[in-house]
Amino acid sequence: MKSDVTHEGMGRTTGRGRDYTPLFRFLLSRVGSSWEATFAEAKSRLDTTEPIFWLVAVQEFDRRDYVRIGESTYYSGLYVDSDGTLQVVNPDINESSLDPQCACCTHTFNGVRFTKRAP
Ligand SMILES: [Zn+2]
């Protein structure tokens, strides 16, 4: 993969180069489940809870349709509803509705490759 400086500084940091893919997959798998139990389980596997909140919005104003992690990896934005259940902010967003920013990277949404090509 070639280094592309224009991608740097855009969006959120992945932080210390650690791969949180397993955490994000776990959170996505718990949509519709208790947030309290999900958070407790996720927290027990991490040294910091920060990456949990890259995806999960606890405050309403913090909700996002999707979240970009690093350069070309996207995930559903999640939130906690009034019943304490983990939910997807916008279920209509998927790997077919997002436009890749460039042709040099493999863009994925929730681990699935984008179907649209970069211009
Ligand atoms: Zn690229």
PDB file of all heavy atoms in Angstrom, residues 1-29:
ATOM      1  N   MET A   1       0.849  -1.204   0.000  1.00  0.00           N
ATOM      2  CA  MET A   1       0.000   0.000   0.000  1.00  0.00           C
ATOM      3  C   MET A   1       0.878   1.245   0.000  1.00  0.00           C
ATOM      4  O   MET A   1       1.767   1.376   0.823  1.00  0.00           O
ATOM      5  CB  MET A   1      -0.888  -0.019   1.247  1.00  0.00           C
ATOM      6  CG  MET A   1      -2.024   0.982   1.178  1.00  0.00           C
ATOM      7  SD  MET A   1      -3.002   0.929   2.682  1.00  0.00           S
ATOM      8  CE  MET A   1      -3.757  -0.692   2.542  1.00  0.00           C
ATOM      9  N   LYS A   2       0.666   2.140  -0.928  1.00  0.00           N
ATOM     10  CA  LYS A   2       1.479   3.349  -0.963  1.00  0.00           C
ATOM     11  C   LYS A   2       1.009   4.344   0.092  1.00  0.00           C
ATOM     12  O   LYS A   2      -0.166   4.369   0.430  1.00  0.00           O
ATOM     13  CB  LYS A   2       1.445   3.978  -2.351  1.00  0.00           C
ATOM     14  CG  LYS A   2       0.127   4.625  -2.690  1.00  0.00           C
ATOM     15  CD  LYS A   2       0.250   5.420  -3.987  1.00  0.00           C
ATOM     16  CE  LYS A   2      -1.042   6.147  -4.276  1.00  0.00           C
ATOM     17  NZ  LYS A   2      -0.964   7.032  -5.408  1.00  0.00           N
ATOM     18  N   SER A   3       1.943   5.114   0.588  1.00  0.00           N
ATOM     19  CA  SER A   3       1.560   6.102   1.585  1.00  0.00           C
ATOM     20  C   SER A   3       0.940   7.303   0.870  1.00  0.00           C
ATOM     21  O   SER A   3       1.379   7.704  -0.200  1.00  0.00           O
ATOM     22  CB  SER A   3       2.766   6.509   2.428  1.00  0.00           C
ATOM     23  OG  SER A   3       3.341   7.680   1.939  1.00  0.00           O
ATOM     24  N   ASP A   4      -0.095   7.823   1.448  1.00  0.00           N
ATOM     25  CA  ASP A   4      -0.838   8.896   0.795  1.00  0.00           C
ATOM     26  C   ASP A   4      -1.101   9.972   1.834  1.00  0.00           C
ATOM     27  O   ASP A   4      -1.993   9.854   2.649  1.00  0.00           O
ATOM     28  CB  ASP A   4      -2.149   8.334   0.246  1.00  0.00           C
ATOM     29  CG  ASP A   4      -2.838   9.323  -0.671  1.00  0.00           C
ATOM     30  OD1 ASP A   4      -2.553  10.531  -0.570  1.00  0.00           O
ATOM     31  OD2 ASP A   4      -3.669   8.897  -1.464  1.00  0.00           O
ATOM     32  N   VAL A   5      -0.290  11.011   1.767  1.00  0.00           N
ATOM     33  CA  VAL A   5      -0.314  12.029   2.810  1.00  0.00           C
ATOM     34  C   VAL A   5      -1.645  12.769   2.841  1.00  0.00           C
ATOM     35  O   VAL A   5      -2.091  13.221   3.888  1.00  0.00           O
ATOM     36  CB  VAL A   5       0.851  13.025   2.613  1.00  0.00           C
ATOM     37  CG1 VAL A   5       0.922  14.024   3.762  1.00  0.00           C
ATOM     38  CG2 VAL A   5       2.170  12.281   2.491  1.00  0.00           C
ATOM     39  N   THR A   6      -2.311  12.860   1.691  1.00  0.00           N
ATOM     40  CA  THR A   6      -3.565  13.608   1.650  1.00  0.00           C
ATOM     41  C   THR A   6      -4.646  12.962   2.521  1.00  0.00           C
ATOM     42  O   THR A   6      -5.626  13.595   2.865  1.00  0.00           O
ATOM     43  CB  THR A   6      -4.107  13.718   0.210  1.00  0.00           C
ATOM     44  OG1 THR A   6      -4.325  12.399  -0.288  1.00  0.00           O
ATOM     45  CG2 THR A   6      -3.143  14.452  -0.682  1.00  0.00           C
ATOM     46  N   HIS A   7      -4.461  11.697   2.848  1.00  0.00           N
ATOM     47  CA  HIS A   7      -5.440  11.028   3.703  1.00  0.00           C
ATOM     48  C   HIS A   7      -5.219  11.303   5.188  1.00  0.00           C
ATOM     49  O   HIS A   7      -6.087  11.069   6.005  1.00  0.00           O
ATOM     50  CB  HIS A   7      -5.395   9.518   3.480  1.00  0.00           C
ATOM     51  CG  HIS A   7      -5.936   9.121   2.149  1.00  0.00           C
ATOM     52  ND1 HIS A   7      -5.651   7.909   1.580  1.00  0.00           N
ATOM     53  CD2 HIS A   7      -6.722   9.774   1.287  1.00  0.00           C
ATOM     54  CE1 HIS A   7      -6.249   7.847   0.408  1.00  0.00           C
ATOM     55  NE2 HIS A   7      -6.901   8.963   0.200  1.00  0.00           N
ATOM     56  N   GLU A   8      -4.005  11.757   5.507  1.00  0.00           N
ATOM     57  CA  GLU A   8      -3.689  11.976   6.913  1.00  0.00           C
ATOM     58  C   GLU A   8      -4.488  13.153   7.473  1.00  0.00           C
ATOM     59  O   GLU A   8      -4.782  14.101   6.771  1.00  0.00           O
ATOM     60  CB  GLU A   8      -2.193  12.272   7.095  1.00  0.00           C
ATOM     61  CG  GLU A   8      -1.290  11.176   6.591  1.00  0.00           C
ATOM     62  CD  GLU A   8      -1.362   9.926   7.449  1.00  0.00           C
ATOM     63  OE1 GLU A   8      -1.731  10.040   8.631  1.00  0.00           O
ATOM     64  OE2 GLU A   8      -1.063   8.835   6.924  1.00  0.00           O
ATOM     65  N   GLY A   9      -4.815  13.082   8.719  1.00  0.00           N
ATOM     66  CA  GLY A   9      -5.464  14.196   9.382  1.00  0.00           C
ATOM     67  C   GLY A   9      -6.933  14.344   9.058  1.00  0.00           C
ATOM     68  O   GLY A   9      -7.580  15.261   9.522  1.00  0.00           O
ATOM     69  N   MET A  10      -7.485  13.443   8.280  1.00  0.00           N
ATOM     70  CA  MET A  10      -8.919  13.497   8.014  1.00  0.00           C
ATOM     71  C   MET A  10      -9.642  12.543   8.952  1.00  0.00           C
ATOM     72  O   MET A  10      -9.269  11.388   9.075  1.00  0.00           O
ATOM     73  CB  MET A  10      -9.213  13.067   6.576  1.00  0.00           C
ATOM     74  CG  MET A  10      -8.754  14.094   5.546  1.00  0.00           C
ATOM     75  SD  MET A  10      -8.943  13.451   3.884  1.00  0.00           S
ATOM     76  CE  MET A  10     -10.722  13.196   3.815  1.00  0.00           C
ATOM     77  N   GLY A  11     -10.656  13.058   9.604  1.00  0.00           N
ATOM     78  CA  GLY A  11     -11.471  12.175  10.419  1.00  0.00           C
ATOM     79  C   GLY A  11     -10.794  11.717  11.698  1.00  0.00           C
ATOM     80  O   GLY A  11      -9.868  12.346  12.179  1.00  0.00           O
ATOM     81  N   ARG A  12     -11.259  10.615  12.207  1.00  0.00           N
ATOM     82  CA  ARG A  12     -10.848  10.168  13.520  1.00  0.00           C
ATOM     83  C   ARG A  12      -9.567   9.345  13.434  1.00  0.00           C
ATOM     84  O   ARG A  12      -9.289   8.702  12.454  1.00  0.00           O
ATOM     85  CB  ARG A  12     -11.963   9.319  14.126  1.00  0.00           C
ATOM     86  CG  ARG A  12     -13.300  10.001  14.019  1.00  0.00           C
ATOM     87  CD  ARG A  12     -14.389   9.073  14.489  1.00  0.00           C
ATOM     88  NE  ARG A  12     -14.488   9.056  15.933  1.00  0.00           N
ATOM     89  CZ  ARG A  12     -15.133   9.973  16.631  1.00  0.00           C
ATOM     90  NH1 ARG A  12     -15.713  10.978  16.031  1.00  0.00           N
ATOM     91  NH2 ARG A  12     -15.218   9.891  17.926  1.00  0.00           N
ATOM     92  N   THR A  13      -8.838   9.369  14.492  1.00  0.00           N
ATOM     93  CA  THR A  13      -7.597   8.605  14.547  1.00  0.00           C
ATOM     94  C   THR A  13      -7.877   7.171  14.988  1.00  0.00           C
ATOM     95  O   THR A  13      -8.807   6.900  15.721  1.00  0.00           O
ATOM     96  CB  THR A  13      -6.607   9.266  15.528  1.00  0.00           C
ATOM     97  OG1 THR A  13      -5.494   8.402  15.658  1.00  0.00           O
ATOM     98  CG2 THR A  13      -7.226   9.503  16.879  1.00  0.00           C
ATOM     99  N   THR A  14      -7.058   6.266  14.528  1.00  0.00           N
ATOM    100  CA  THR A  14      -7.169   4.896  14.997  1.00  0.00           C
ATOM    101  C   THR A  14      -6.428   4.710  16.318  1.00  0.00           C
ATOM    102  O   THR A  14      -6.611   3.714  16.988  1.00  0.00           O
ATOM    103  CB  THR A  14      -6.607   3.889  13.974  1.00  0.00           C
ATOM    104  OG1 THR A  14      -5.317   4.316  13.590  1.00  0.00           O
ATOM    105  CG2 THR A  14      -7.488   3.799  12.763  1.00  0.00           C
ATOM    106  N   GLY A  15      -5.582   5.674  16.682  1.00  0.00           N
ATOM    107  CA  GLY A  15      -4.928   5.656  17.963  1.00  0.00           C
ATOM    108  C   GLY A  15      -3.892   4.559  18.134  1.00  0.00           C
ATOM    109  O   GLY A  15      -4.230   3.392  18.135  1.00  0.00           O
ATOM    110  N   ARG A  16      -2.682   4.942  18.260  1.00  0.00           N
ATOM    111  CA  ARG A  16      -1.589   4.020  18.552  1.00  0.00           C
ATOM    112  C   ARG A  16      -1.532   2.809  17.629  1.00  0.00           C
ATOM    113  O   ARG A  16      -0.945   1.798  17.974  1.00  0.00           O
ATOM    114  CB  ARG A  16      -1.654   3.560  20.003  1.00  0.00           C
ATOM    115  CG  ARG A  16      -1.409   4.686  20.997  1.00  0.00           C
ATOM    116  CD  ARG A  16      -1.513   4.222  22.422  1.00  0.00           C
ATOM    117  NE  ARG A  16      -2.822   3.725  22.772  1.00  0.00           N
ATOM    118  CZ  ARG A  16      -3.858   4.499  23.086  1.00  0.00           C
ATOM    119  NH1 ARG A  16      -3.716   5.806  23.086  1.00  0.00           N
ATOM    120  NH2 ARG A  16      -5.024   3.982  23.400  1.00  0.00           N
ATOM    121  N   GLY A  17      -2.167   2.883  16.498  1.00  0.00           N
ATOM    122  CA  GLY A  17      -2.047   1.821  15.512  1.00  0.00           C
ATOM    123  C   GLY A  17      -2.691   0.507  15.908  1.00  0.00           C
ATOM    124  O   GLY A  17      -2.472  -0.511  15.271  1.00  0.00           O
ATOM    125  N   ARG A  18      -3.485   0.503  16.955  1.00  0.00           N
ATOM    126  CA  ARG A  18      -4.091  -0.741  17.394  1.00  0.00           C
ATOM    127  C   ARG A  18      -5.309  -1.079  16.543  1.00  0.00           C
ATOM    128  O   ARG A  18      -6.041  -0.188  16.130  1.00  0.00           O
ATOM    129  CB  ARG A  18      -4.496  -0.600  18.864  1.00  0.00           C
ATOM    130  CG  ARG A  18      -4.713  -1.956  19.476  1.00  0.00           C
ATOM    131  CD  ARG A  18      -4.852  -1.880  20.958  1.00  0.00           C
ATOM    132  NE  ARG A  18      -5.681  -3.017  21.364  1.00  0.00           N
ATOM    133  CZ  ARG A  18      -6.043  -3.250  22.596  1.00  0.00           C
ATOM    134  NH1 ARG A  18      -5.665  -2.433  23.551  1.00  0.00           N
ATOM    135  NH2 ARG A  18      -6.786  -4.290  22.880  1.00  0.00           N
ATOM    136  N   ASP A  19      -5.512  -2.351  16.296  1.00  0.00           N
ATOM    137  CA  ASP A  19      -6.641  -2.783  15.477  1.00  0.00           C
ATOM    138  C   ASP A  19      -7.819  -3.149  16.373  1.00  0.00           C
ATOM    139  O   ASP A  19      -7.763  -4.123  17.126  1.00  0.00           O
ATOM    140  CB  ASP A  19      -6.219  -3.987  14.636  1.00  0.00           C
ATOM    141  CG  ASP A  19      -7.348  -4.449  13.731  1.00  0.00           C
ATOM    142  OD1 ASP A  19      -8.349  -3.720  13.599  1.00  0.00           O
ATOM    143  OD2 ASP A  19      -7.216  -5.543  13.160  1.00  0.00           O
ATOM    144  N   TYR A  20      -8.858  -2.337  16.254  1.00  0.00           N
ATOM    145  CA  TYR A  20     -10.049  -2.568  17.069  1.00  0.00           C
ATOM    146  C   TYR A  20     -11.158  -3.287  16.303  1.00  0.00           C
ATOM    147  O   TYR A  20     -12.308  -3.299  16.746  1.00  0.00           O
ATOM    148  CB  TYR A  20     -10.568  -1.250  17.646  1.00  0.00           C
ATOM    149  CG  TYR A  20      -9.677  -0.686  18.731  1.00  0.00           C
ATOM    150  CD1 TYR A  20      -8.876   0.424  18.481  1.00  0.00           C
ATOM    151  CD2 TYR A  20      -9.623  -1.276  19.985  1.00  0.00           C
ATOM    152  CE1 TYR A  20      -8.039   0.943  19.458  1.00  0.00           C
ATOM    153  CE2 TYR A  20      -8.803  -0.771  20.978  1.00  0.00           C
ATOM    154  CZ  TYR A  20      -8.019   0.333  20.710  1.00  0.00           C
ATOM    155  OH  TYR A  20      -7.197   0.844  21.681  1.00  0.00           O
ATOM    156  N   THR A  21     -10.791  -3.878  15.177  1.00  0.00           N
ATOM    157  CA  THR A  21     -11.797  -4.580  14.381  1.00  0.00           C
ATOM    158  C   THR A  21     -12.612  -5.589  15.199  1.00  0.00           C
ATOM    159  O   THR A  21     -13.839  -5.623  15.086  1.00  0.00           O
ATOM    160  CB  THR A  21     -11.127  -5.287  13.176  1.00  0.00           C
ATOM    161  OG1 THR A  21     -10.427  -4.299  12.419  1.00  0.00           O
ATOM    162  CG2 THR A  21     -12.152  -5.963  12.296  1.00  0.00           C
ATOM    163  N   PRO A  22     -11.959  -6.414  16.027  1.00  0.00           N
ATOM    164  CA  PRO A  22     -12.749  -7.382  16.812  1.00  0.00           C
ATOM    165  C   PRO A  22     -13.769  -6.696  17.730  1.00  0.00           C
ATOM    166  O   PRO A  22     -14.889  -7.194  17.904  1.00  0.00           O
ATOM    167  CB  PRO A  22     -11.698  -8.143  17.625  1.00  0.00           C
ATOM    168  CG  PRO A  22     -10.428  -7.986  16.846  1.00  0.00           C
ATOM    169  CD  PRO A  22     -10.515  -6.605  16.240  1.00  0.00           C
ATOM    170  N   LEU A  23     -13.376  -5.559  18.312  1.00  0.00           N
ATOM    171  CA  LEU A  23     -14.306  -4.808  19.165  1.00  0.00           C
ATOM    172  C   LEU A  23     -15.498  -4.311  18.352  1.00  0.00           C
ATOM    173  O   LEU A  23     -16.652  -4.449  18.772  1.00  0.00           O
ATOM    174  CB  LEU A  23     -13.581  -3.612  19.805  1.00  0.00           C
ATOM    175  CG  LEU A  23     -14.500  -2.593  20.485  1.00  0.00           C
ATOM    176  CD1 LEU A  23     -15.147  -3.201  21.726  1.00  0.00           C
ATOM    177  CD2 LEU A  23     -13.752  -1.326  20.833  1.00  0.00           C
ATOM    178  N   PHE A  24     -15.221  -3.735  17.181  1.00  0.00           N
ATOM    179  CA  PHE A  24     -16.314  -3.180  16.377  1.00  0.00           C
ATOM    180  C   PHE A  24     -17.253  -4.288  15.901  1.00  0.00           C
ATOM    181  O   PHE A  24     -18.474  -4.116  15.888  1.00  0.00           O
ATOM    182  CB  PHE A  24     -15.756  -2.384  15.192  1.00  0.00           C
ATOM    183  CG  PHE A  24     -14.863  -1.239  15.621  1.00  0.00           C
ATOM    184  CD1 PHE A  24     -13.757  -0.882  14.869  1.00  0.00           C
ATOM    185  CD2 PHE A  24     -15.130  -0.530  16.783  1.00  0.00           C
ATOM    186  CE1 PHE A  24     -12.933   0.166  15.266  1.00  0.00           C
ATOM    187  CE2 PHE A  24     -14.314   0.512  17.189  1.00  0.00           C
ATOM    188  CZ  PHE A  24     -13.212   0.861  16.432  1.00  0.00           C
ATOM    189  N   ARG A  25     -16.677  -5.413  15.542  1.00  0.00           N
ATOM    190  CA  ARG A  25     -17.518  -6.548  15.138  1.00  0.00           C
ATOM    191  C   ARG A  25     -18.387  -7.022  16.310  1.00  0.00           C
ATOM    192  O   ARG A  25     -19.556  -7.370  16.132  1.00  0.00           O
ATOM    193  CB  ARG A  25     -16.656  -7.711  14.639  1.00  0.00           C
ATOM    194  CG  ARG A  25     -16.050  -7.446  13.282  1.00  0.00           C
ATOM    195  CD  ARG A  25     -15.296  -8.677  12.784  1.00  0.00           C
ATOM    196  NE  ARG A  25     -14.577  -8.404  11.561  1.00  0.00           N
ATOM    197  CZ  ARG A  25     -15.140  -8.410  10.350  1.00  0.00           C
ATOM    198  NH1 ARG A  25     -16.413  -8.691  10.210  1.00  0.00           N
ATOM    199  NH2 ARG A  25     -14.418  -8.135   9.291  1.00  0.00           N
ATOM    200  N   PHE A  26     -17.799  -7.039  17.481  1.00  0.00           N
ATOM    201  CA  PHE A  26     -18.544  -7.434  18.677  1.00  0.00           C
ATOM    202  C   PHE A  26     -19.714  -6.468  18.923  1.00  0.00           C
ATOM    203  O   PHE A  26     -20.851  -6.897  19.150  1.00  0.00           O
ATOM    204  CB  PHE A  26     -17.605  -7.463  19.892  1.00  0.00           C
ATOM    205  CG  PHE A  26     -18.323  -7.573  21.203  1.00  0.00           C
ATOM    206  CD1 PHE A  26     -18.908  -8.772  21.592  1.00  0.00           C
ATOM    207  CD2 PHE A  26     -18.432  -6.478  22.053  1.00  0.00           C
ATOM    208  CE1 PHE A  26     -19.592  -8.872  22.793  1.00  0.00           C
ATOM    209  CE2 PHE A  26     -19.106  -6.570  23.253  1.00  0.00           C
ATOM    210  CZ  PHE A  26     -19.692  -7.770  23.627  1.00  0.00           C
ATOM    211  N   LEU A  27     -19.423  -5.162  18.853  1.00  0.00           N
ATOM    212  CA  LEU A  27     -20.485  -4.170  19.089  1.00  0.00           C
ATOM    213  C   LEU A  27     -21.616  -4.328  18.074  1.00  0.00           C
ATOM    214  O   LEU A  27     -22.800  -4.287  18.433  1.00  0.00           O
ATOM    215  CB  LEU A  27     -19.910  -2.753  19.034  1.00  0.00           C
ATOM    216  CG  LEU A  27     -18.932  -2.382  20.162  1.00  0.00           C
ATOM    217  CD1 LEU A  27     -18.291  -1.027  19.884  1.00  0.00           C
ATOM    218  CD2 LEU A  27     -19.636  -2.370  21.521  1.00  0.00           C
ATOM    219  N   LEU A  28     -21.254  -4.524  16.808  1.00  0.00           N
ATOM    220  CA  LEU A  28     -22.276  -4.688  15.765  1.00  0.00           C
ATOM    221  C   LEU A  28     -23.118  -5.938  16.016  1.00  0.00           C
ATOM    222  O   LEU A  28     -24.324  -5.954  15.753  1.00  0.00           O
ATOM    223  CB  LEU A  28     -21.626  -4.769  14.388  1.00  0.00           C
ATOM    224  CG  LEU A  28     -21.005  -3.464  13.879  1.00  0.00           C
ATOM    225  CD1 LEU A  28     -20.137  -3.732  12.656  1.00  0.00           C
ATOM    226  CD2 LEU A  28     -22.085  -2.445  13.547  1.00  0.00           C
ATOM    227  N   SER A  29     -22.475  -6.968  16.537  1.00  0.00           N
ATOM    228  CA  SER A  29     -23.193  -8.218  16.787  1.00  0.00           C
ATOM    229  C   SER A  29     -24.168  -8.082  17.949  1.00  0.00           C
ATOM    230  O   SER A  29     -25.056  -8.912  18.121  1.00  0.00           O
ATOM    231  CB  SER A  29     -22.194  -9.359  17.074  1.00  0.00           C
ATOM    232  OG  SER A  29     -21.689  -9.267  18.396  1.00  0.00           O
TER     233      SER A  29
END
